Amino acid sequence: MLVEIQRSLLPDRLPELPGLHFAGRYEPGLEPRRQAGDWYDAFMLPTGHVLLSVGDVVGAGTGAASAMRALRTSIQLYVSEGYTPRQVLERLNRRAFDDGRGDIATMFVAVLEPAGGRLVFASAGHPPPVVRHSNGDVKLLAALGGPPVGATPRAHFVEHETVLAAGAALVLYTNGLIERRGEDLGTGLERLRKAVLAGPCDAGALADDLIASCDTIDRSDDVAVLVVTSDLDVAPLHLQVLAHPRVLRSMRLALSQWLARAGVSESDASDLLLAVNEAAANAIEHAYDPGDGDVEFEAERVGRFVTVRIRDKGTWRPARPVSGGLGMKLMQRLVDECIITPGPDGTTVELRADVDGIGEP
Amino acid sequence: MRIAKITVEGHDEGPVVRVAGEIDLSNSDDLRNDIVHAVPHDAHGVVLDLTETTYLDSSGIRLLFELAERLQARRQRLVLVVAEEALVRRVVVLTKLDDAVPLLQGIDEALLALRG
């Protein structure tokens, strides 16, 4: 019953914005007494910005659940009225002592500007969020915060600013995710950092992974997780080169630079480079008489998929593929999808790879 | 601009030929000829050191298969030295070249393998 109340107090629908993805998860603890104080929230503000919050009310039972609902709603109201994250925490803290309920809660409150990714935030005794950048770097957003809300009337809260860049993932969570009996917090944080590093690009899949990574046997506390991902914003690559073997290397250089900008891991990039080179080499060897035409390349990234098209205006001759079929087989093994479309005006080879899982070996 | 450089080091068993740089369609034929010419007729074979080869595609694999065949016709062996984590190793394994040509991690090991 308690769990149902808890789940119904969490947002039904998270915002949907171009280029941003939100995924929230809640898991009750196994000890009935310690449930019902955690929340996550992602809330669209009248300004077009997004309020993000995550928190943990100390205490248990229906008291904690209703305190949690009151806090979450108050945060939404205060931020909607224009108060900054630091001011929100100050107000909540004052109110905690004014109304004498004695509720204490840790929380993290942030406002995200979708255009540009500016993130303004303040923390009240809450564990540090994790940020994963498009190049695979994973860092804790460990900036100075204040004490838990309701802990002391003289609390001082600090506000900070950062940018959630294109291709980045932000993970907010409550301490149930990182705590294990008999273990220090640093170990749990490191475990979380590693899980984010190895985790998928997709916000929902990452949130599921992180919940699954908690030790369910030992978990007495409830867990809330909120993942926010920002799509990588890299312009497609266009290249047109003379169909000659010497151009292969410069094509590889241009493509590898683009793949790095597109946030593709080294090993995925290496496979794609090999595959594209095979298609290009085939066009160069068989489409035209030597140096007698062009080969065009187009590469784009949409979400977790990179597609590269190699186009020539000659004829594809499957009877004589490069290296006696070796090149074709190699190409097909290196990517997830390979579509060859021969035609009277030339051939297009389309290669598609799922580059999900930044940081995976 | 040459994208690969060959260096040859003589040993009793046979030469160690090191290819530094990239092997692709633009240079694979030339490289094959250069390597064949570097192997004396009385050598047990050749150790091809690919630890400094930063790129190898199917034309490079074709070069290696053809090289192995030509050497076999002269009763000579081809042995490859490839780094553990390299792109070259990945391509060699994916194309199953390592079924036909031994892949080793060190020069000394490779020279021993030449003796048979």
Side-chain angles (χ1 to χ4, degrees):
Chain A
M1 179 58 185
L2 208 59
V3 175
E4 274 138 43
I5 295 173
Q6 176 70 346
R7 284 200 204 271
S8 72
L9 296 177
L10 292 171
D12 282 329
R13 289 192 57 182
L14 297 179
E16 280 167 28
L17 291 164
L20 281 175
H21 308 274
F22 302 85
R25 300 286 184 273
Y26 173 78
E27 282 296 316
L30 297 172
E31 259 181 52
R33 280 172 206 268
R34 293 202 57 192
Q35 286 175 353
D38 289 7
W39 83 85
Y40 65 82
D41 197 7
F43 180 78
M44 221 33 237
L45 297 164
T47 51
H49 299 173
V50 186
L51 160 64
L52 305 170
S53 80
V54 73
D56 183 352
V57 177
V58 173
T62 46
S66 70
M68 183 274 277
R69 183 180 53 185
L71 282 167
R72 213 187 106 221
T73 313
S74 300
I75 295 171
Q76 290 174 356
L77 285 171
Y78 286 144
V79 180
S80 299
E81 281 170 31
Y83 293 113
T84 68
R86 179 184 62 85
Q87 291 168 329
V88 169
L89 294 181
E90 281 169 0
R91 281 183 151 62
L92 289 175
N93 196 56
R94 270 205 297 278
R95 208 185 63 185
F97 288 95
D98 289 345
D99 71 17
R101 282 179 49 149
D103 291 315
I104 297 180
T106 70
M107 63 188 76
F108 178 93
V109 176
V111 175
L112 174 68
E113 284 175 35
R118 183 167 168 252
L119 188 79
V120 179
F121 63 92
S123 171
H126 201 78
V130 182
V131 178
R132 182 181 69 198
H133 297 281
S134 63
N135 64 357
D137 276 353
V138 177
K139 297 203 163 78
L140 298 177
L141 207 56
L144 185 68
V149 164
T152 163
R154 296 199 201 295
H156 177 62
F157 299 102
V158 188
E159 200 164 88
H160 304 274
E161 199 176 300
T162 185
V163 173
L164 188 69
L170 172 69
V171 179
L172 308 184
Y173 58 94
T174 55
N175 65 353
L177 190 68
I178 54 173
E179 275 180 355
R180 283 191 199 171
R181 228 165 259 160
E183 196 187 67
D184 73 84
L185 216 56
T187 310
L189 273 169
E190 185 50 30
R191 190 172 48 239
L192 172 61
R193 218 187 58 82
K194 289 205 174 94
V196 174
L197 181 70
C201 288
D202 178 74
L206 180 57
D208 288 335
D209 253 27
L210 295 178
I211 293 281
S213 74
C214 307
D215 185 355
T216 49
I217 298 165
D218 196 25
R219 202 186 63 238
S220 50
D221 204 357
D222 50 347
V223 180
V225 171
L226 176 66
V227 174
V228 183
T229 60
S230 170
D231 285 344
L232 207 50
D233 185 24
V234 60
L237 170 76
H238 285 283
L239 270 180
Q240 193 165 341
V241 295
L242 192 67
H244 189 285
R246 292 247 176 84
V247 310
L248 287 170
R249 183 163 188 266
S250 49
M251 179 280 289
R252 290 197 296 271
L253 278 171
L255 183 59
S256 84
Q257 279 166 11
W258 181 87
L259 286 167
R261 281 205 314 276
V264 177
S265 74
E266 259 188 60
S267 67
D268 283 335
S270 171
D271 284 359
L272 266 164
L273 272 168
L274 278 165
V276 173
N277 190 95
E278 292 302 330
N282 196 297
I284 287 168
E285 267 200 325
H286 301 295
Y288 312 110
D289 290 331
D292 204 23
D294 287 342
V295 183
E296 274 175 51
F297 300 83
E298 213 176 76
E300 64 174 351
R301 176 169 185 165
V302 178
R304 51 199 270 193
F305 293 102
V306 169
T307 305
V308 185
R309 284 177 207 92
I310 304 101
R311 202 176 283 118
D312 68 66
K313 298 205 178 70
T315 52
W316 180 270
R317 295 170 218 176
R320 271 190 59 212
V322 167
S323 310
L326 205 60
M328 292 301 294
K329 289 205 198 94
L330 185 59
M331 187 173 75
Q332 282 160 349
R333 281 199 198 121
L334 289 162
V335 293
D336 294 305
E337 226 177 88
C338 168
I339 304 170
I340 302 170
T341 315
D345 299 322
T347 299
T348 302
V349 176
E350 187 173 293
L351 305 172
R352 201 165 178 242
D354 180 346
V355 298
D356 202 350
I358 292 174
E360 271 177 358
Chain B
M1 191 199 100
R2 315 205 79 201
I3 63 175
K5 196 179 85 159
I6 297 190
T7 46
V8 182
E9 209 177 78
H11 292 264
D12 291 336
E13 301 87 341
V16 172
V17 176
R18 182 169 297 115
V19 181
E22 302 184 3
I23 305 176
D24 71 10
L25 191 63
S26 70
N27 64 355
S28 56
D29 280 344
D30 288 341
L31 276 174
R32 189 195 53 236
N33 296 334
D34 290 347
I35 295 167
V36 168
H37 287 133
V39 187
H41 280 269
D42 60 351
H44 291 278
V46 59
V47 171
L48 199 54
D49 178 359
L50 300 178
T51 53
E52 283 166 54
T53 308
T54 51
Y55 187 83
L56 181 82
D57 63 9
S58 66
S59 67
I61 297 290
R62 183 173 50 181
L63 171 183
L64 294 171
F65 272 120
E66 288 170 0
L67 195 58
E69 267 177 41
R70 299 226 349 216
L71 288 169
Q72 204 172 52
R74 294 172 10 177
R75 295 183 189 283
Q76 290 175 315
R77 314 182 91 157
L78 171 65
V79 172
L80 302 180
V81 178
V82 175
E84 187 60 47
E85 295 284 325
L87 173 150
V88 172
R89 178 174 281 267
R90 180 145 169 75
V91 179
V92 164
V93 166
L94 273 176
T95 54
K96 300 207 204 293
L97 176 72
D98 54 341
D99 285 350
V101 179
L103 222 62
L104 295 158
Q105 280 187 279
I107 303 285
D108 294 331
E109 234 187 299
L111 284 167
L112 262 171
L114 272 190
R115 282 192 183 277

